Amino acid sequence: MPLTVLLVDDEPLVRAGLRAVLSAQPDIEVVGEAADGAAVIPLVRQLRPDLVAMDVRMPLLDGIEATRAVLRSVSEPPKILVITTFENDEYVYGALRAGADGFLLKRSRPAEIVNAVRLVAEGDSLLFPAAVRRLAAEYGNTSAREAMDRAALTEREADVLRLMTRGLSNAEIAERLVVGTETVKSHVSAVLAKLGARDRTQAVIAAYESGFVSPG
Amino acid sequence: MPLTVLLVDDEPLVRAGLRAVLSAQPDIEVVGEAADGAAVIPLVRQLRPDLVAMDVRMPLLDGIEATRAVLRSVSEPPKILVITTFENDEYVYGALRAGADGFLLKRSRPAEIVNAVRLVAEGDSLLFPAAVRRLAAEYGNTSAREAMDRAALTEREADVLRLMTRGLSNAEIAERLVVGTETVKSHVSAVLAKLGARDRTQAVIAAYESGFVSPG
DNA sequence: GGATGGCTCCCCCTCATGGGGGAGACGCTC
DNA sequence: GAGCGTCTCCCCCATGAGGGGGAGCCATCC
């Protein structure tokens, strides 16, 4: 059975784009659309989607209030993926506090969007790596490392990512961790998926941008 | 005899900060200040400093031209340490090509600033510290200055490295720069050689560690 | 003029990388 | 006990990446 998604955005163009990107996936089905937050609750009750992809800035009822309302009024609420244009959107922080499971930038590439939908639907939290640092700053007493944990990296995956940021190859990481190269490849693939990275270079960039590691 | 330093920066605040940091060292003496590049040459002739700490972006005469002018017009030129606010290094690489001996980010910690001044004054160069050391080790009796020259990126190579640090593939870089992928591969190979990196991931790491780019 | 260096593009080649599957062992929770 | 997640390892496969060559064009410098 496919992954069912409800789209909520006041811009028809954005909805059309998301529908095109997501419907192209065999395992994802867009079951409905809404143009504002007020229409979300009845649609969620009626359609029972696995995930709601929702803009944070909308008329009538914004993403924060809509998220809160959905979580209150539905017994088995869908996962909620908040969509935003800006990285440093204070609305995102509010939405995450209200219970959203992750957020995504509108300018993300299609592959990243699909990846984010799948990850959040599967229960992992997802924060766009470049924004983790800012969120960590906003949370104040929360460390960047803890914010990174919201991206659901396991201990071993974090070990692997750390060695990746030292420039090690898979074979060298395997030697360092005393495991097989196939194991390292599994972990690397998991890291790439969770960070929304296409290759290890992008993963290292995400690690620096997120504060997972710092220069010097 | 103390290490004599001439400060050149158009911002009085920066000069005051550098003076405070450097004067606190018993072996370093700040012998003069200048607010723009045009004032550098007469001051160098008059004061004969061991080292000039110079901002790259200045009115009238920028750091690149000032560096070139000093090296041309003085028989025994001082070491030149280029200071920059940004990791966006068009100017820095221009200055290094013009003959500067190293560069430093303004946001460096005081200890790093002092260290950089001492190192450059002693004849060591600061560029990509890790890469320079590797190159020096590889080429044995090669001086640090020669190693740095090898590590001085051309403009095009800097362009490529910058796009590498944004996670782009060779094909994407080629598209962005409107050249062929073979050309990009040539530049990438040159960048890897100059940075002492084995692959693009290590090059990106070197870029972050050196301040060529910075997170956020 | 010749030399140098940067930018461009081409060939061939090897191999690490990453995606697609799957599977067993272990420890945890329900 | 069953289920789940993590860690471990395996297969096949396509391809991007990087090394080692070479070459032409152009600007600058001597």
Side-chain angles (χ1 to χ4, degrees):
Chain A
M1 51 188 182
L3 182 57
T4 54
V5 177
L6 171 65
L7 304 181
V8 187
D9 197 307
D10 58 314
E11 296 177 56
L13 192 62
V14 173
R15 293 203 304 272
L18 285 171
R19 179 180 278 275
V21 168
L22 296 177
S23 295
Q25 303 300 314
D27 60 327
I28 298 178
E29 183 185 354
V30 177
V31 294
E33 294 183 10
D36 62 77
V40 173
I41 296 171
L43 279 172
V44 167
R45 283 193 170 137
Q46 178 193 338
L47 301 170
R48 293 279 168 189
D50 297 314
L51 180 143
V52 176
M54 179 154 54
D55 191 3
V56 72
R57 293 173 182 267
M58 290 183 297
L60 298 182
L61 198 68
D62 65 25
I64 300 173
E65 290 304 323
T67 297
R68 196 171 285 129
V70 167
L71 295 179
R72 275 183 188 164
S73 58
V74 181
S75 57
E76 293 181 15
K79 299 291 181 181
I80 296 181
L81 179 63
V82 171
I83 300 172
T84 182
T85 306
F86 306 104
E87 282 184 32
N88 54 353
D89 197 332
E90 61 273 21
Y91 277 72
V92 170
Y93 169 64
L96 290 170
R97 294 208 61 152
D101 297 281
F103 84 86
L104 187 67
L105 289 175
K106 279 184 184 176
R107 62 169 164 276
S108 300
R109 290 188 302 271
E112 290 176 337
I113 293 173
V114 170
N115 189 41
V117 166
R118 288 209 186 96
L119 276 180
V120 169
E122 287 168 6
D124 290 333
S125 293
L126 183 88
L127 297 178
F128 194 79
V132 171
R133 197 172 180 227
R134 292 186 180 86
L135 282 175
E138 286 178 22
Y139 273 100
N141 56 354
T142 303
S143 70
R145 173 56 200 273
E146 283 173 319
M148 201 67 185
D149 285 342
R150 294 173 184 276
L153 285 188
T154 66
E155 296 247 343
R156 208 54 166 167
E157 287 160 0
D159 291 338
V160 170
L161 177 56
R162 208 167 292 115
L163 293 175
M164 287 165 70
T165 63
R166 312 261 310 247
L168 274 61
S169 67
N170 289 340
E172 289 167 341
I173 294 173
E175 189 177 357
R176 198 72 73 90
L177 297 181
V178 198
V179 295
T181 57
E182 296 298 330
T183 301
V184 173
K185 287 178 65 175
S186 293
H187 291 316
V188 169
S189 291
V191 168
L192 299 185
K194 288 181 178 177
L195 298 189
R198 189 175 53 194
D199 50 47
R200 67 200 302 109
T201 304
Q202 288 191 353
V204 167
I205 293 167
Y208 274 103
E209 295 296 331
S210 68
F212 182 82
V213 292
S214 297
Chain B
M1 51 187 183
L3 181 57
T4 55
V5 177
L6 171 65
L7 305 179
V8 188
D9 197 305
D10 57 314
E11 295 177 57
L13 191 62
V14 172
R15 293 203 304 272
L18 285 171
R19 181 180 277 276
V21 167
L22 295 176
S23 295
Q25 302 301 315
D27 59 329
I28 299 178
E29 182 184 355
V30 177
V31 295
E33 296 183 11
D36 63 78
V40 172
I41 297 172
L43 278 172
V44 167
R45 284 194 170 135
Q46 179 193 334
L47 301 170
R48 296 277 168 191
D50 298 313
L51 181 143
V52 177
M54 179 153 55
D55 193 0
V56 266
R57 294 171 184 270
M58 289 183 296
L60 299 181
L61 198 68
D62 66 25
I64 300 174
E65 292 303 322
T67 296
R68 195 171 286 130
V70 167
L71 294 179
R72 274 184 187 162
S73 58
V74 181
S75 57
E76 293 181 14
K79 300 290 182 180
I80 296 181
L81 178 63
V82 169
I83 300 172
T84 181
T85 307
F86 282 115
E87 63 286 345
N88 200 355
D89 275 325
E90 303 287 346
Y91 281 80
V92 168
Y93 281 94
L96 289 169
R97 279 196 302 279
D101 298 280
F103 83 83
L104 187 66
L105 290 174
K106 278 186 185 173
R107 60 170 160 278
S108 300
R109 290 186 298 270
E112 290 175 338
I113 294 173
V114 170
N115 188 41
V117 167
R118 289 209 185 97
L119 277 180
V120 169
E122 287 167 7
D124 290 333
S125 296
L126 283 184
L127 181 55
F128 296 91
V132 170
R133 280 190 216 105
R134 272 197 296 266
L135 285 171
E138 279 180 27
Y139 291 93
N141 53 1
T142 303
S143 71
R145 176 54 189 268
E146 283 176 87
M148 191 208 67
D149 285 342
R150 293 173 185 279
L153 298 181
T154 68
E155 287 195 20
R156 209 53 167 167
E157 288 161 359
D159 290 338
V160 170
L161 177 55
R162 204 169 295 111
L163 293 176
M164 287 165 71
T165 63
R166 307 221 356 214
L168 273 62
S169 66
N170 289 340
E172 289 166 340
I173 294 172
E175 190 177 357
R176 197 74 72 90
L177 297 182
V178 198
V179 297
T181 57
E182 295 298 330
T183 302
V184 173
K185 286 178 67 174
S186 293
H187 291 315
V188 169
S189 291
V191 168
L192 298 186
K194 288 182 177 179
L195 299 190
R198 188 176 53 194
D199 50 47
R200 68 202 299 110
T201 304
Q202 289 191 353
V204 167
I205 293 168
Y208 273 104
E209 295 296 331
S210 68
F212 181 83
V213 292
S214 293

